[in-house]
DNA sequence: ACTTAGGATAAGTAAAATTTATAGTGATTG
DNA sequence: CAATCACTATAAATTTTACTTATCCTAAGT
């Protein structure tokens, strides 16, 4: 006994016709025939008398019809009850987030979250990754969204998104490529760089990766320190320089062919974003729900 | 939302374990995972917290659990209700039937019927097809089971089984065959025949078919008139003659290689058996049920 | 008798559920 | 604190089932 069989049966009874039921359920008439037959076979009873013109319920059919209705209705109620419950969850979540997640990831997360919990609202406050972690460590905050991982006994990290830093350049600029879009690391020394301020997760991350290759920021020709990703993108567009930036931040400019992005040979710039919280403090139920949601968040592949 | 998903969910809640649920439902653990995930996806809510050791219902899960139980229980009730109803149908059906259906078909029909209606009993009275029809026409009976069709305004026939008359011969006997098991019609004139009495449906039927070929029983060498199919079969086995007989009546003897059967070139001996009733009289509800059952009876192919 | 409408049947196709194999993740133990 | 254990998730392949298209059959109306 399956729900679609019950739906077929109910619709046939309602219309006194197999073909009309098929139309209502957007199925073909043979499907309805099959569903009814399988139902009858399973129950070991004829539910419908179909002799020529009209279709009538047998005694067994009449008995079963009530149950069929009840089952379908209960299913609807169940679905409704769940949605109703989720709809009752309300409140405001105050997120402290660093710039990349704030601008390019959180909007999608919030969209997905409020689809399930429509009554929940958000406020987002921009802070550097380091500042957020500091605030959690001194107890000023209990959670936040960051792009770096500073291990500490007190802190728990939930990785909810993986991105990659790329070298973003004006679209027209041509380079001697190693392969399709990979550049030799030495190219870096001949470029005018734009960087984020200290404390920025993106900057900290790139500094670490470069120092692994024994390159210090001092070795690069830094022409500007700017703390806005959008500003940096504009400057690149205007060919004022290049910059390391999250791939997700220049997604649109890439499809619009305004900015080009390159990987650097031998540099793994894969970067994780985290929901970080003080595991010794209890989060509010709402934030807990948000945290659980992030755990299973599928990502923004399907946009 | 499908019933198997609900069963998986309930079992997981019961055992607090996916793998135990799998064992209970004779499924594999990934199936359970899938069922739960699809359920959660459809409902847009996490039903189960599975973090490490234990599995716990979320708030949504608790709400949904009650509905899941209710749905599964209602389904059980529905099935039980139908069986219960069919079980309440009781009484005795008195069938007047001619020899072939009485001996070779009705047993299987009754077996299938009582499987659905366990409380119904049968008594079978042997009568020739013609006598049964006469009794219905004079109002002595209102229905019966016959192997011939005499059209009359009063009578309604329901064809519930199709058989074929064949020429049954001793197994050893050899004939010049037209093809695998088809004999020339002229063979008939050189055989010793055993026939049923007048009034027998089988005899009436063969007389009609032969007269279409301008052959009268007078033209055949009839050595015995016997009114028992079993007796006729025995006589054939003992090589005392041959006879036209229903294929179903010699099924066992054919597989035992005691009797061989042949078709006759140009003679269509396909034969129908009918539930015949007086359409001006109302049948008892029980007989009506039996009649409806015969309408959809699948036949005895699957023995 | 002829046409029409509705249901049954059969064969082919699409969609699902399920399985096998494997990876990943907390809890437990030496 | 690594190593194992117990359990769930994931991926790919398989089987099952639901569904569709095409066709047939029967009953009712012309």
């Amino acid at each position: 006994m399956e729900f679609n069989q019950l739906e077929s049966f109910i619709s046939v009874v309602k219309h006194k016709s197999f073909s009309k039921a098929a139309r209502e359920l957007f199925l073909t008439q043979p499907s309805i025939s099959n569903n009814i037959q399988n139902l009858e076979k399973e129950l070991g009873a004829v539910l419908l008398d179909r002799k020529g013109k009209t279709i009538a319920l047998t005694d067994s059919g009449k008995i079963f019809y009530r149950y069929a209705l009840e089952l379908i209705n209960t299913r609807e109620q169940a679905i409704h009850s769940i949605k109703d419950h989720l709809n009752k969850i309300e409140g405001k979540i105050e997120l402290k987030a660093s710039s990349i997640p704030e601008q390019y990831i959180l909007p999608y997360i919030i969209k997905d979250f409020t689809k399930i919990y429509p009554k929940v609202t958000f406020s987002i406050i921009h802070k550097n990754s380091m500042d957020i972690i500091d605030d959690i460590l001194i107890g000023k905050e209990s959670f936040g969204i960051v792009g770096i991982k500073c291990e500490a006994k007190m802190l728990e990290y939930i990785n909810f998104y993986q991105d990659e830093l790329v070298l973003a350049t004006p679209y027209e600029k041509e380079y001697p490529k190693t392969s399709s879009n990979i550049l030799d690391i030495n190219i870096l020394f001949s470029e005018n760089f734009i960087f984020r301020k200290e404390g920025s997760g993106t900057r900290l991350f790139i500094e670490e990766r470069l120092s692994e290759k024994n390159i210090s920021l001092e070795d690069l020709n830094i022409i500007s320190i700017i703390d806005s990703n959008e500003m940096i993108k504009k400057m690149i567009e205007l060919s004022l320089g290049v910059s390391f930036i999250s791939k997700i931040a220049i997604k649109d400019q890439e499809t619009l062919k305004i900015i080009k992005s390159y990987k650097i040979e031998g540099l793994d710039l894969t970067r994780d974003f985290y929901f970080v919280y003080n595991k010794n403090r209890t989060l509010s139920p709402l934030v807990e729900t948000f945290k659980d949601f992030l755990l299973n968040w599928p990502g923004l592949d399907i946009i």
Side-chain angles (χ1 to χ4, degrees), chain A:
Chain A
M1 189 191 303
E2 301 299 332
F3 281 110
N4 52 1
Q5 295 170 346
L6 298 176
E7 281 168 346
S8 295
F9 175 61
I10 289 172
S11 184
V12 168
V13 172
K14 208 164 73 185
H15 294 108
K16 296 183 194 304
S17 155
F18 280 49
S19 15
K20 280 177 193 161
R23 266 166 248 147
E24 183 188 43
L25 300 176
F26 301 106
L27 291 174
T28 56
Q29 170 267 315
S31 293
I32 304 288
S33 285
N34 246 322
N35 285 343
I36 302 293
Q37 279 173 30
N38 289 335
L39 205 51
E40 291 182 328
K41 215 178 289 171
E42 183 184 344
L43 295 171
V46 179
L47 300 175
L48 296 166
D49 268 332
R50 47 269 212 198
K51 290 176 205 140
K53 199 68 182 170
T54 43
I55 281 169
L57 280 170
T58 62
D59 289 348
S60 296
K62 279 176 202 155
I63 294 171
F64 189 71
Y65 185 60
R66 302 182 150 276
Y67 287 103
L69 278 180
E70 188 183 333
L71 285 166
I72 295 295
N73 287 337
T74 304
R75 180 174 69 160
E76 284 313 303
Q77 275 179 42
I79 293 169
H80 191 264
S81 251
I82 295 292
K83 299 267 183 267
D84 206 52
H85 170 248
L86 296 177
N87 202 30
K88 273 186 191 132
I89 294 175
E90 53 185 1
K92 189 174 183 177
I93 298 177
E94 287 199 12
L95 290 176
K96 273 72 177 176
S98 60
S99 59
I100 296 292
E102 179 205 19
Q103 296 178 54
Y104 308 108
I105 313 175
L106 278 180
Y108 298 104
I109 292 178
I110 290 173
K111 185 186 156 220
D112 289 351
F113 186 85
T114 50
K115 205 166 178 184
I116 300 178
Y117 305 96
K119 293 271 178 67
V120 176
T121 59
F122 286 85
S123 72
I124 304 172
I125 293 158
H126 182 172
K127 257 186 192 172
N128 278 332
S129 292
M130 268 319 295
D131 294 344
I132 292 172
I133 289 173
D134 283 343
D135 283 354
I136 296 174
L137 286 172
I138 62 171
K140 200 175 151 195
E141 298 289 347
S142 54
F143 66 96
I145 304 253
V146 294
I148 49 169
K149 195 170 188 174
C150 293
E151 294 297 353
K153 286 193 298 290
M154 189 187 271
L155 299 178
E156 186 85 24
Y157 289 87
I158 291 173
N159 180 347
F160 65 88
Y161 188 72
Q162 191 169 62
D163 193 28
E164 191 179 15
L165 281 183
V166 289
L167 184 74
T169 73
Y171 193 79
E172 321 79 45
K173 200 147 184 180
E174 293 291 343
Y175 291 96
K177 295 165 213 160
T178 314
S179 84
S180 68
N181 66 337
I182 300 181
L183 301 181
D184 187 273
I185 197 161
N186 290 310
I187 222 96
L188 303 180
F189 301 109
S190 53
E191 289 297 325
N192 295 326
F193 272 96
I194 308 161
F195 267 92
R196 296 275 304 280
K197 276 203 299 197
E198 288 177 48
S200 146
T202 305
R203 171 155 173 173
L204 278 167
F205 181 80
I206 193 69
E207 269 182 311
E208 256 177 47
R209 287 297 102 78
L210 286 177
S211 77
E212 283 168 10
K213 297 278 168 191
N214 294 316
I215 300 173
S216 140
L217 286 202
E218 314 288 316
D219 307 330
L220 302 180
N221 183 29
I222 299 177
I223 58 156
S224 305
I225 302 287
I226 292 175
D227 214 34
S228 150
N229 291 302
E230 290 301 314
M231 189 86 77
I232 292 175
K233 278 157 62 181
K234 268 278 161 312
M235 292 183 70
I236 296 169
E237 281 176 46
L238 300 173
S239 292
L240 298 174
V242 302
S243 181
F244 283 105
I245 196 164
S246 272
K247 196 158 176 55
I248 190 174
I250 55 167
K251 190 169 164 287
D252 292 345
Q253 284 69 31
E254 279 199 289
T255 48
L256 290 171
K257 303 198 172 188
I258 299 171
I259 287 180
K260 235 185 245 169
S261 77
Y262 299 94
K263 301 185 183 195
I264 302 299
E265 176 94 63
L267 262 188
D268 177 20
L269 297 179
T270 303
R271 188 188 180 195
D272 294 303
F273 291 96
Y274 306 93
F275 176 93
V276 57
Y277 63 103
N278 182 337
K279 64 177 152 186
N280 300 321
R281 288 176 61 173
T282 46
L283 300 171
S284 80
L286 190 52
V287 174
E288 191 73 33
T289 303
F290 184 70
K291 191 192 87 187
D292 289 345
F293 173 83
L294 281 183
L295 271 173
N296 302 316
W297 188 57
L300 33 69
D301 306 320
I302 335 118
I303 295 178

